[in-house]
Amino acid sequence: MMLYLNDNDIAAMGTDWHALRDTVRHALMMDAAGDSAHPIKPYLRFQNPQNRIIAMPAYVGGDIGLSGMKWIASFPGNVEKGLPRAHNTVILNHIDTGEPLAFFHSARLSGLRTAAVSSLMVQAYMDARQPVSVCLGILGWGPIGRLHLEMCAAMLGEQLEQVYIYDPRGIDPITIPEVLRFKTVIAGNWQEVYRHADIMATCTVASSRYINEKPREGMLLLGVSLRDYLPECVAHLKAIVVDDWDEVCRENTDIEQLHQKHGLHKEDVHTLADVVCGQRLRSVDRLEPVFFNPMGLAIFDIAVAGYYWRNAMEHGIGVKLSV
């Protein structure tokens, strides 16, 4: 028996950001301990080179104990057609028999994983810097940007003092959660957001780099969309964090640009495991900006899918399919 789950099923189970953070942390710990496998993901391209379909197989041990693959089609032009930018599917397999356990067709699942990984970085930053209050900035008000606001609101609580958001396509105030509208400013440009934010999340579909200002002291830059910063404005940073160097130093990411144009190398960066498991940020000057670049690891997708699969099995959610 295989369970089929979609966006409605994921939404029905709700979002516990602290549980999702703990889930991706456990996957990270299994990876650091060598109890995981996630080969470099290939990119399938055809016709329009902007489009890509990415295969992301992985195994995660420990309490997660699952294998499987994420297969995600990212077509940036879909936004102009009124379609989701990405179509996400995940299959989970039993680690002993290979039997298929679950099939997900859910863009929300991918977004939740993305924001959950960011939550690890936000938590590490808050633990190391211990600010009294935080101004959050978000560039891009698509599903990923909105999930980052939701996540940060849950993680920061009363320490989230103000929010600045901007999207060149415009933002309808009704799309901002009602409980956060009183502290949210819809900015007129990206500079307004960037100059106010302590934690800055770029969640865009920008076709070219546009951020040309150096970050202020102490900022956390969540480079979720990976291709927003002109390399010269972040080349001086000493606290650069990646999820995996070999994954992220390619495909025209900001990290690849820094590598090619400014000589950034693997030994110059911290890994997410260094920061989360080794508390590396505690040894970084608190005035130094932190630049996080997550390419997205399949171990996190399998872990988050496993979390929802177990939840669905417990509560009788989803459609059971014969195999």
Side-chain angles (χ1 to χ4, degrees):
M1 185 273 293
M2 180 172 68
L3 193 64
Y4 172 83
L5 297 159
N6 61 21
D7 270 345
N8 292 333
D9 299 317
I10 301 300
M13 287 182 272
T15 306
D16 183 336
W17 287 109
H18 291 87
L20 290 173
R21 178 203 60 196
D22 293 344
T23 296
V24 295
R25 178 190 286 127
H26 186 64
L28 186 66
M29 293 173 65
M30 291 302 97
D31 190 48
D35 193 11
S36 72
H38 51 101
I40 295 289
K41 53 192 180 188
Y43 283 62
L44 172 65
R45 285 192 168 89
F46 51 92
Q47 297 178 342
N48 186 343
Q50 285 190 327
N51 301 332
R52 58 207 184 263
I53 303 179
I54 310 169
M56 301 171 60
Y59 153 76
V60 188
D63 293 338
I64 295 170
L66 289 167
S67 60
M69 186 176 74
K70 175 180 181 177
W71 178 254
I72 182 165
S74 180
F75 283 53
N78 279 0
V79 175
E80 308 303 325
K81 302 174 184 177
L83 296 171
R85 177 189 177 182
H87 298 278
N88 179 58
T89 55
V90 175
I91 187 166
L92 298 179
N93 297 87
H94 197 290
I95 58 173
D96 295 324
T97 65
E99 295 173 278
L101 300 172
F103 182 88
F104 294 79
H105 181 199
S106 172
R108 182 171 176 81
L109 186 71
S110 184
L112 290 168
R113 182 273 289 167
T114 301
V117 172
S118 293
S119 77
L120 284 181
M121 194 69 233
V122 170
Q123 186 71 64
Y125 172 83
M126 295 297 290
D127 289 346
R129 301 289 170 88
Q130 299 187 347
V132 174
S133 62
V134 167
C135 178
L136 172 67
I138 298 175
L139 297 181
W141 195 237
I144 302 299
R146 298 180 195 190
L147 285 172
H148 272 75
L149 175 57
E150 185 181 323
M151 176 274 291
C152 285
M155 299 298 299
L156 300 174
E158 293 302 315
Q159 290 175 285
L160 180 58
E161 184 174 44
Q162 197 164 34
V163 179
Y164 280 77
I165 58 177
Y166 172 71
D167 192 303
R169 295 167 295 182
I171 296 173
D172 186 342
I174 200 70
T175 61
I176 302 168
E178 187 174 359
V179 296
L180 296 172
R181 287 177 200 164
F182 75 99
K183 62 173 66 176
T184 301
V185 175
I186 299 174
N189 52 58
W190 68 263
Q191 292 93 335
E192 184 181 358
V193 179
Y194 192 63
R195 293 167 188 171
H196 281 90
D198 302 304
I199 298 177
M200 176 78 191
T202 49
C203 307
T204 73
V205 292
S207 58
S208 59
R209 290 172 170 83
Y210 56 95
I211 296 178
N212 57 6
E213 297 182 10
K214 292 182 178 181
R216 297 191 336 276
E217 290 182 341
M219 286 180 74
L220 171 60
L221 309 177
L222 300 173
V224 180
S225 41
L226 294 170
R227 301 166 184 89
D228 296 86
Y229 292 86
L230 292 170
E232 54 269 23
C233 75
V234 287
H236 67 290
L237 300 184
K238 298 180 179 64
I240 296 177
V241 183
V242 302
D243 50 4
D244 184 283
W245 173 267
D246 294 324
E247 282 283 12
V248 78
C249 189
R250 61 195 184 115
E251 291 292 326
N252 191 35
T253 63
D254 291 341
I255 291 295
E256 186 182 37
Q257 289 287 304
L258 289 172
H259 172 64
Q260 292 177 345
K261 297 182 178 181
H262 295 275
L264 184 73
H265 293 284
K266 186 175 184 177
E267 57 268 22
D268 301 321
V269 305
H270 307 295
T271 66
L272 185 58
D274 292 335
V275 168
V276 174
C277 304
Q279 299 184 333
R280 190 66 59 83
L281 284 188
R282 293 182 184 274
S283 62
V284 174
D285 188 319
R286 64 182 297 108
L287 296 181
E288 179 69 26
V290 179
F291 188 23
F292 180 44
N293 290 262
M295 188 65 150
L297 302 183
I299 56 170
F300 299 133
D301 291 283
I302 298 305
V304 170
Y307 166 82
Y308 277 105
W309 167 65
R310 290 187 169 101
N311 194 317
M313 292 292 287
E314 181 180 352
H315 294 96
I317 295 172
V319 178
K320 296 179 179 179
L321 303 175
S322 298
V323 294

